[in-house]
Amino acid sequence: MTSISYILSKVIWFPFRPGTLALILACIGLAALWRGRRWGRWPVLAGLGFFVMVLATPVSQWMLIPLEERFSRPATPPAEVAGIIVLGGAVDQNLTEARGIPALNGAAERMTEGVILARRYPNAKIVFTGGQGSLVHGGLTEASVAEELWSAMGLENSRVIYENEARNTHDNAVMSFALAQPKPGETWLLVTSASHMPRSVGVFRAAGWPVVPWPVNYRTGRNLASLYDAPFPERIGQFETGLREWVGLVAYWLMGRTETVFPGP
């Protein structure tokens, strides 16, 4: 069941991600109009309408703001921390394999914050969890890239547990729990992107791991510049990220991986 849901999530998302779907609709409509089919104007309007909506309104920010503001860091950081969990998702595996050096994507703050926290809490265990996140990939896992990067940044391997089998957030929680074996009452920080935090916290809670959220990689703000200043391609990416998280929240709840649709503090 896990393999089927994983494969379906990748296969279905590729043609139905909003930017791709809008382009497909516009092309279908143009082809129909070229052949004299008047109904073609509707898919053209739908496809172009999506791009105009993203360009003219802050809808991409509206998709992310409720997700990013659901959890915040503790007002007073914990004095003692037993461990720190860093979720994968920041490594560009294809570029890393192609160029031979660690390459990070827009979620790079997950990796840098992990090192910062490791130095702030020198006695804490560190767990990095991330295997292969795509159907088409080479031989590298996110964990192997993280180990190379963090070792070069001076983080001792003896402090870190590298989990290299997880393919999604559910795997992150279950497999990390089995490796780290946290004890009741321990404080564990969870580091991931702010928009991904609600689903992550819900999954870790369902796995029996009451983590303390430590969000990074914010992509929204409240002022005018943050609402409109992002380049058009970035806005499309923000919209798709937000939509995918909302769909993921519902899907995980339906599959019993989280206890509520929208986990909260």
Side-chain angles (χ1 to χ4, degrees):
M1 182 63 181
T2 300
S3 297
I4 293 175
S5 64
Y6 168 74
I7 293 171
L8 286 177
S9 69
K10 300 299 181 181
V11 173
I12 293 175
W13 177 249
F14 179 75
F16 284 99
R17 60 189 307 169
T20 304
L21 180 60
L23 186 59
I24 291 173
L25 288 174
C27 290
I28 291 173
L30 287 173
L33 289 173
W34 183 265
R35 295 172 62 87
R37 305 293 193 269
R38 294 187 62 188
W39 59 263
R41 65 183 184 271
W42 298 114
V44 169
L45 287 173
L48 294 181
F50 168 76
F51 293 121
V52 171
M53 176 187 68
V54 172
L55 178 63
T57 73
V59 64
S60 60
Q61 294 277 299
W62 294 339
M63 292 286 288
L64 288 174
I65 285 174
L67 295 166
E68 293 196 342
E69 295 188 350
R70 190 65 166 173
F71 289 94
S72 58
R73 298 183 185 185
T76 302
E80 296 290 335
V81 167
I84 301 154
I85 313 149
V86 179
L87 299 193
V91 173
D92 191 317
Q93 293 161 270
N94 294 329
L95 283 180
T96 299
E97 194 161 20
R99 296 300 182 179
I101 57 175
L104 303 179
N105 56 34
E109 291 170 40
R110 301 188 191 188
M111 306 300 295
T112 55
E113 192 70 18
V115 176
I116 291 170
L117 290 172
R119 291 173 178 169
R120 178 182 294 179
Y121 299 105
N123 296 321
K125 299 177 184 177
I126 315 295
V127 176
F128 179 90
T129 169
Q132 293 285 0
S134 63
L135 292 175
V136 181
H137 52 71
L140 285 176
T141 64
E142 286 198 80
S144 61
V145 179
E147 183 174 4
E148 179 182 354
L149 177 64
W150 280 355
S151 295
M153 296 174 71
L155 193 57
E156 303 88 345
N157 279 347
S158 58
R159 291 188 59 191
V160 187
I161 298 172
Y162 290 101
E163 186 286 307
N164 62 6
E165 297 291 334
R167 298 176 300 179
N168 54 43
T169 310
H170 177 258
D171 288 350
N172 289 144
V174 173
M175 294 180 177
S176 297
F177 187 91
L179 289 175
Q181 298 182 348
K183 298 179 177 61
E186 287 184 340
T187 299
W188 283 77
L189 304 183
L190 177 63
V191 179
T192 190
S193 300
S195 61
H196 187 51
M197 190 61 76
R199 183 153 56 111
S200 301
V201 170
V203 171
F204 273 79
R205 285 175 179 170
W209 204 344
V211 292
V212 176
W214 199 270
V216 295
N217 188 36
Y218 284 92
R219 303 173 72 182
T220 65
R222 290 293 189 178
N223 57 19
L224 188 63
S226 62
L227 291 176
Y228 283 100
D229 194 48
F232 180 56
E234 186 176 337
R235 292 195 203 182
I236 294 178
Q238 291 173 349
F239 184 93
E240 292 180 344
T241 297
L243 179 63
R244 187 165 190 170
E245 281 304 319
W246 288 113
V247 172
L249 282 165
V250 174
Y252 270 33
W253 176 66
L254 291 175
M255 289 188 287
R257 292 179 175 178
T258 58
E259 297 176 354
T260 61
V261 176
F262 194 29

